[in-house]
Amino acid sequence: MGQGHSALQTCIDGIANGRSHFAAYPSTPLYQLSWVKPYNLDIKVVPEAVVRPKDSNDVAEVVKCATKNGYKVQAKSGGHSFGNYGLGGGQDGVITIDLQNFQQFSMDNKTWQATIGAGSRLGHVTDRLHDAGGRAMAYGVCPDVGIGGHATIGGLGPMSRMWGSALDHIVEVEVVTADGKIQRASETQNSDLFWGLRGAASSLGVITEFVVRTHPEPANVVQYSYTFIFGKSADVASTYSAWQDLISDPKLDRRFGSEFILNPTGAIITGTFYGTEAEYRASGIPDRLPGKKDSVGNNDWLTALARDGENEALYLSGLATPFYAKSLAFRREELINTTGIADIFKWTDTQDKGTPLWFIIFDATGGAIADVPMNATAYSHRDKVMFYQSYGIGLPLSEKTKAFLENFHNQITKSTRAFGTYAGYVDPELKDAQEQYWGSNYEELRRVKKRWDPKEVFWNPQSVKPAEK
């Protein structure tokens, strides 16, 4: 892929200028364990180098080294790509820029805009925003996920129906582009690049810093869970139908977010309402949720996020493991009808599912996300009301479990015209990944790619391809 490891190492070591822990190579002791740290152990990858720059100037010089020696580049913030794309995504020889040292944070108390380093984990962002005046923004609930990747592919969480996605909060970034220059991008500066970075940043540059708008923390958060134990998956059908009808209601209170989680023993409905318990009851939502409540808690903002993080860890932790995942995004008119739902869950009972380490999540979306025009950013799923994701985990991953989830996905696709999925749910097996991730925005993305990175310096197996003309 490149012109030679020795020339690359000489170039990078020249940037380090004697600094320790700046870069590592395949010959470095404990390279995979201490430096590479792949998330999906089913996808093997050996980067040509992993570099941990201290500042944007370091990043710029590393990009120049890569282009000079013929290597591709990918940034790694938290390292939770399902396809290990921050490490090259299954193709060896990529240079990984690990942003773990980019932890800067400040708050402008006049505009309430926060400046956040691109290596920050979401849990740290939550604490820093809270300490800077009780502020908050929309993003996911896994505290170990890095903001650098999360906020540039969408950044969805339970508060997104109320506030929008994480990328909708970005007002400006600092980014290193393929020519090794440090740029600022916003609606008024490098606006085409800014457009593309909000949805496909890994294809266009290395963001080192975000400036984001924030909100006051909600004073009250109601959280609930409903657990259903079923002898047969077919018994889940009516419960799922009631939940799907609720989350697809165009008049549904935007303060409400919810998931329906199918697992080997039954199903769980979890959710969050940003308001008081009296407001939650007045919304009418509790009367429309099927089943008996296991727990309803009225929490403050930090407690609610901590509980959401604990719940999420039950299904997909931050620990590296072999796993397999499929997903799909649904417009309202593409939701599964009653017959399709019954058929899918009936089919599920006939299958050998392998190990019990699998789960299938249906997640409500829409609301404030849909208020932003489809072409305002590169993110292309603003017209969706639901995502579905399936996961199988194992040491090793059972082939029967993988086959079950693949065939479950096929059953879903037989029952809907839905096409496309969220770029955060990376699926290395997708043959038309770019169209599925970026939809109607993909051709414009290709034009932006041609302008800013025509030689595909920033590359992974499913990155944006530059326009031919």
Side-chain angles (χ1 to χ4, degrees), residues 88-342:
Q91 178 161 332
D92 295 343
V94 169
I95 297 174
T96 291
I97 296 179
D98 187 335
L99 298 169
Q100 68 173 31
N101 294 318
F102 288 76
Q103 298 295 323
Q104 65 267 35
F105 180 89
S106 63
M107 177 67 74
D108 185 327
N109 292 328
K110 293 182 180 179
T111 64
W112 292 111
Q113 291 180 357
T115 298
I116 302 173
S120 305
R121 305 293 178 111
L122 298 184
H124 295 148
V125 173
T126 296
D127 292 339
R128 291 164 187 167
L129 288 172
H130 174 76
D131 292 343
R135 306 300 291 184
M137 61 176 286
Y139 44 65
V141 298
C142 294
D144 286 336
V145 167
I147 196 170
H150 182 72
T152 57
I153 50 177
L156 307 178
M159 69 293 290
S160 291
R161 296 191 68 258
M162 176 174 66
W163 285 341
S165 67
L167 67 77
D168 293 328
H169 290 69
I170 302 171
V171 297
E172 186 178 348
V173 298
E174 180 182 79
V175 58
V176 176
T177 47
D179 54 7
K181 293 181 179 179
I182 302 171
Q183 315 266 6
R184 302 297 294 193
S186 66
E187 292 285 4
T188 58
Q189 187 175 6
N190 297 317
S191 58
D192 62 333
L193 177 61
F194 186 59
W195 179 89
L197 291 170
R198 290 173 297 159
S202 63
S203 295
L204 295 170
V206 178
I207 291 178
T208 55
E209 180 177 279
F210 297 92
V211 179
V212 300
R213 61 184 178 87
T214 65
H215 310 268
E217 292 176 351
N220 301 94
V221 184
V222 178
Q223 294 176 293
Y224 62 87
S225 65
Y226 299 70
T227 300
F228 306 86
I229 305 300
F230 296 103
K232 295 182 178 180
S233 294
D235 298 333
V236 182
S238 61
T239 302
Y240 173 82
S241 292
W243 177 85
Q244 182 180 269
D245 288 345
L246 171 63
I247 63 97
S248 60
D249 184 346
K251 298 180 180 179
L252 183 65
D253 195 310
R254 290 185 173 190
R255 294 172 292 176
F256 172 77
S258 182
E259 291 181 340
F260 184 101
I261 304 163
L262 182 68
N263 59 44
T265 62
I268 301 172
I269 295 176
T270 68
T272 306
F273 182 87
Y274 297 98
T276 66
E277 194 161 356
E279 290 171 327
Y280 177 51
R281 290 195 300 269
S283 73
I285 293 171
D287 299 329
R288 300 177 63 182
L289 284 167
K292 181 181 178 181
K293 296 184 289 290
D294 289 325
S295 62
V296 174
N298 198 340
N299 298 312
D300 60 32
W301 173 250
L302 292 185
T303 303
L305 282 178
R307 180 176 174 179
D308 280 336
E310 291 170 0
N311 290 337
E312 198 77 8
L314 295 175
Y315 304 104
L316 193 64
S317 74
L319 297 176
T321 182
F323 68 90
Y324 178 78
K326 302 296 288 185
S327 62
L328 194 64
F330 299 80
R331 298 181 179 90
R332 185 171 284 104
E333 63 271 19
E334 296 166 344
L335 292 170
I336 309 166
N337 63 31
T338 303
T339 300
I341 292 168

Side-chain angles (χ1 to χ4, degrees), residues 48-60:
E48 193 68 20
V50 178
V51 186
R52 293 174 178 167
K54 303 299 183 183
D55 56 32
S56 300
N57 288 321
D58 283 347
V59 174

Side-chain angles (χ1 to χ4, degrees), residues 259 326-327 359-363 387-391 425:
E259 291 181 340
K326 302 296 288 185
S327 62
F359 44 94
I360 298 167
I361 301 174
F362 297 86
D363 193 1
F387 291 102
Y388 121 83
Q389 321 153 51
S390 66
Y391 302 95
Y425 306 146

Side-chain angles (χ1 to χ4, degrees), residues 77-92:
S77 178
H80 286 77
S81 167
F82 292 0
N84 296 335
Y85 281 0
L87 303 168
Q91 178 161 332
D92 295 343

